Amino acid sequence: MVQDLGYLKESPSQTAGPYVHIGCTPNFAGITGVYDTDLGSTMVNDKTLGERITMRGCVIDGAGVPLKDALVEIWQADAAGLYNSPSELRGTADPNFTGWGRCPTSADDGMFTFETIKPGRAPYKDGRKMAPHITVWIVARGINIGLHTRMYFADEAEANAEDPLLARIEHRHRVATLVAPREGSVYTFDIHLQGEKETVFLDI
Amino acid sequence: MSDLSNKKPETGAFFQRDRAWHAPALTPGYKTSVLRSPQKALLSLDGTMSEITGPVFGHSLLGELDNDLIHNFAKPGESAIGERIIVHGRVLDERGKPVPGALLEFWQANAGGRYRHKKESYLAAVDPNFGGCGRTITADDGSYRFRTIRPGAYPWPNGVNDWRPAHIHFSIFGHGFAQRLITQMYFEGDPMIWKCPIVTTIPDKSAIEQLIAPLDWANTIPMDARAYKFDIVLRGRRSTLFENRMEGN
């Protein structure tokens, strides 16, 4: 016999269900008076450094229909590439930028929208710089475990070409599923859950 | 955003997620998963700065009644109808270490199984004194607690006669975005657990049992509320040999 390593098992995930808004964005669900505002609804203020951008898109199912009950969260570095997290040891992130946002998809058109800034570049483990990106996490009814992906920026072609994650995508035409086109200050990032245009999802 | 203590933060990458322990994406018995499950393989990547960091929320975020669902939506002097319970436990990581400063959000139906949500059409009545949302942040030892009423079971349009067992939804933030987790807590002894197509998306019976909270008689408050204990385990971090010592141990 050998010793037991003694590790615990992670609590298994379950779907967030159709009423995730009650717990995560109660004001959006019409439950007012409990929390002042829905958490994650504002990421920037007047003093936030960096280029203001809008990130928007839909989460689309295998029949091509946008989900109207999904919840999208994003996590990103500040304009200097620093994360507003205790585990960030390279410096102090912009105190006027949370780095984290949360938005339910609209019950009308299924659209999510984040008012944020364009992130700077953070290093990969080996010191190479990753291209600017925003980490995206999606939960909804019918999704048993939250889906991780990343949005990259179409106007960062040079950085994208040397990004270690994008370089690992074997089927090169799928790289485009992570790169959001720009129009003015708006980046549109549609997430396809399955099928021909399926977004690359990550196990990280 | 953070008012954590001055303890040295951990920066290791997380253990790989055991995706055989979790439900697969495609579980046809839970019908909505059929069109909402990716068909291509996930791209694996060891955690980078983007995943080993994550938002941390300070206790200043919380209002006085945020962890009291019996009262946080009730009119002054009134309270929600139902079986009064306390749900408590600890948030640990896979190494058994407490996770302090973890934000927990929870939501649930009322005692009759009715959610306060505009898309909900179940004929059971809404409780005018029950909203159904709450949140709290774990203490230094990873512990948390809240008061609520025990939710009822409710029917849902999946099979012709499918009912969800009584459950409370949990959303948990650890210290890294890769620990992000949403799950559901069930109640010891509920025969509906084993009939539920959402519960049984999880292939391993012992994994399901990890989501069932036992009745905690020792912490039941006489003449007030029964207690249920629900511990939550988030992904652990790898130690890295740092200046000749194991960081994170």
Side-chain angles (χ1 to χ4, degrees):
Chain A
M1 291 295 284
V2 293
Q3 295 184 10
D4 183 355
L5 281 167
Y7 293 121
L8 304 174
K9 294 300 290 184
E10 187 186 12
S11 295
S13 173
Q14 289 261 265
T15 179
Y19 307 126
V20 59
H21 312 115
I22 293 175
C24 294
T25 55
N27 291 290
F28 174 86
I31 301 173
T32 55
V34 181
Y35 309 150
D36 290 341
T37 56
D38 287 336
L39 207 56
S41 54
T42 309
M43 301 176 69
V44 297
N45 64 34
D46 294 345
K47 296 188 202 125
T48 307
L49 303 173
E51 182 192 352
R52 299 291 196 280
I53 61 164
T54 301
M55 169 185 176
R56 52 181 285 177
C58 289
V59 182
I60 299 160
D61 73 13
V65 176
L67 274 58
K68 295 178 177 177
D69 53 10
L71 185 75
V72 180
E73 291 185 6
I74 63 173
W75 171 243
Q76 64 167 101
D78 69 8
L82 294 168
Y83 290 88
N84 191 351
S85 162
S87 301
E88 173 61 87
L89 302 181
R90 296 170 298 146
T92 305
D94 181 354
N96 292 301
F97 182 59
T98 67
W100 176 77
R102 173 188 269 172
C103 186
T105 57
S106 150
D108 300 324
D109 59 8
M111 191 75 78
F112 62 83
T113 306
F114 294 98
E115 301 299 336
T116 183
I117 53 130
K118 202 166 171 186
R121 298 179 71 172
Y124 190 59
K125 290 165 61 109
D126 57 10
R128 281 184 288 164
K129 277 191 180 329
M130 295 189 279
H133 65 273
I134 293 176
T135 295
V136 183
W137 191 68
I138 305 127
V139 292
R141 173 174 68 101
I143 296 177
N144 290 326
I145 182 165
L147 295 166
H148 280 268
T149 186
R150 284 185 181 181
M151 182 186 98
Y152 287 84
F153 300 84
D155 55 340
E156 296 283 347
E158 204 175 311
N160 292 344
E162 60 188 31
D163 182 79
L165 183 146
L166 294 178
R168 289 193 45 173
I169 298 174
E170 181 185 353
H171 300 97
R172 298 309 295 163
H173 68 280
R174 299 195 66 211
V175 171
T177 67
L178 302 187
V179 182
R182 175 173 195 155
E183 204 177 319
S185 63
V186 178
Y187 291 88
T188 302
F189 186 55
D190 284 336
I191 297 156
H192 293 265
L193 296 179
Q194 77 175 210
E196 226 171 280
K197 293 188 242 172
E198 187 171 309
T199 300
V200 173
F201 295 105
L202 307 172
D203 184 12
I204 27 188
Chain B
M1 215 165 175
S2 155
D3 60 4
L4 270 191
S5 71
N6 57 4
K7 284 196 204 89
K8 192 173 178 299
E10 292 191 79
T11 56
F14 293 98
F15 298 153
Q16 184 181 344
R17 200 162 235 164
D18 181 355
R19 291 193 179 260
W21 182 252
H22 289 279
L26 176 62
T27 48
Y30 174 27
K31 293 183 179 179
T32 318
S33 76
V34 173
L35 283 176
R36 295 185 172 193
S37 45
Q39 293 166 327
K40 297 182 172 62
L42 302 179
L43 177 67
S44 298
L45 193 76
D46 197 14
T48 74
M49 284 302 295
S50 308
E51 295 83 31
I52 64 180
T53 60
V56 174
F57 303 90
H59 289 264
S60 57
L61 171 75
L62 303 176
E64 202 184 339
L65 293 177
D66 282 7
N67 66 344
D68 183 353
L69 282 69
I70 298 176
H71 296 109
N72 69 8
F73 191 78
K75 293 187 249 328
E78 298 186 21
S79 57
I81 291 173
E83 299 178 40
R84 294 164 58 88
I85 60 169
I86 292 161
V87 178
H88 75 108
R90 289 202 299 161
V91 179
L92 306 168
D93 75 9
E94 288 168 296
R95 299 166 301 175
K97 295 182 67 154
V99 183
L103 173 69
L104 272 62
E105 299 163 292
F106 15 84
W107 65 100
Q108 61 168 89
N110 70 19
R114 173 70 187 261
Y115 281 98
R116 183 175 287 278
H117 193 284
K118 49 188 175 259
K119 279 194 188 163
E120 161 72 284
S121 56
Y122 182 33
L123 45 79
V126 168
D127 179 346
N129 289 310
F130 187 73
C133 64
R135 62 187 176 188
T136 189
I137 291 175
T138 56
D140 281 348
D141 62 354
S143 66
Y144 75 91
R145 65 204 64 84
F146 62 95
R147 276 179 186 270
T148 188
I149 52 96
R150 182 174 160 134
Y154 66 86
W156 60 300
N158 186 65
V160 171
N161 189 23
D162 277 337
W163 290 69
R164 296 302 322 281
H167 64 277
I168 300 177
H169 296 265
F170 278 72
S171 162
I172 308 112
F173 288 83
H175 297 167
F177 205 59
Q179 288 178 304
R180 196 77 183 80
L181 182 72
I182 282 184
T183 189
Q184 302 182 28
M185 179 197 114
Y186 303 98
F187 292 83
E188 180 184 10
D190 186 344
M192 312 262 293
I193 293 171
W194 306 103
K195 296 178 184 297
C196 176
I198 288 179
V199 172
T200 54
T201 59
I202 299 172
D204 189 318
K205 184 164 183 279
S206 49
I208 292 171
E209 285 166 343
Q210 200 176 348
L211 299 181
I212 303 176
L215 177 63
D216 180 3
W217 206 250
N219 279 298
T220 288
I221 303 176
M223 306 301 285
D224 181 347
R226 282 173 300 151
Y228 285 86
K229 185 163 191 286
F230 185 54
D231 287 342
I232 296 162
V233 180
L234 301 180
R235 293 169 73 179
R237 280 188 202 262
R238 285 206 300 272
S239 303
T240 44
L241 193 61
F242 180 71
E243 289 175 354
N244 244 10
R245 63 189 165 74
M246 293 293 272
E247 182 207 9
N249 286 336

